[in-house]
């Protein structure tokens, strides 16, 4: 059997592809709500983004599982290649 075909039938590989696809789909949904965004957004499961219209993100933005971002500030900007870690909470000072 060809090595490439073995990889495609590997259950771990298939699960990873499925997980990445879900993150991209969530990213596409949040891309509609976010104030400004460039490139891809990868959004993990259980992510909470409030006041999304006040948030701007650069290319390859990643919000890992169960993190919380509250855009209650005037504008909250994240640059390119930013990753918000698992279970992290980003809130403005006056929260």
């Amino acid at each position: 059997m060809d090595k490439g075909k073995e990889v495609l039938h590997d259950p771990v590989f298939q699960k990873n592809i499925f997980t990445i696809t879900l993150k991209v789909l969530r990213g596409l949904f949040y891309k509609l709500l976010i104030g400004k965004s460039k490139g891809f957004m990868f959004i993990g499961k259980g992510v909470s983004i409030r006041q999304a219209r006040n948030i701007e993100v650069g290319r390859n933005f990643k919000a890992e599982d169960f993190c919380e971002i509250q855009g209650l500030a005037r504008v909250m900007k994240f640059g390119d290649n930013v990753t918000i870690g698992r279970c992290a909470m980003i809130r403005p000072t006056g929260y």
Side-chain angles (χ1 to χ4, degrees), residues 19-32 34 36-44 49 55-64 78-84:
T19 303
I20 291 169
T21 302
L22 284 177
K23 288 180 181 183
V24 169
L25 290 174
R26 285 188 208 106
L28 289 172
F29 171 74
Y30 275 108
K31 198 170 176 83
L32 298 172
I34 295 282
K36 288 184 182 177
S37 64
K38 303 174 189 172
F40 284 107
M41 291 177 61
F42 300 90
I43 307 295
I49 300 178
I55 298 173
E56 296 179 7
V57 298
R59 290 177 176 81
N60 299 321
F61 176 80
K62 297 176 188 116
E64 293 183 352
F78 297 97
D80 294 342
N81 302 313
V82 171
T83 299
I84 308 298

Side-chain angles (χ1 to χ4, degrees), residues 4 12 14 31 42 47 61-62 67 77:
V12 174
Q14 290 176 350
K31 198 170 176 83
F42 300 90
V47 171
F61 176 80
K62 297 176 188 116
C67 73
K77 295 182 182 181

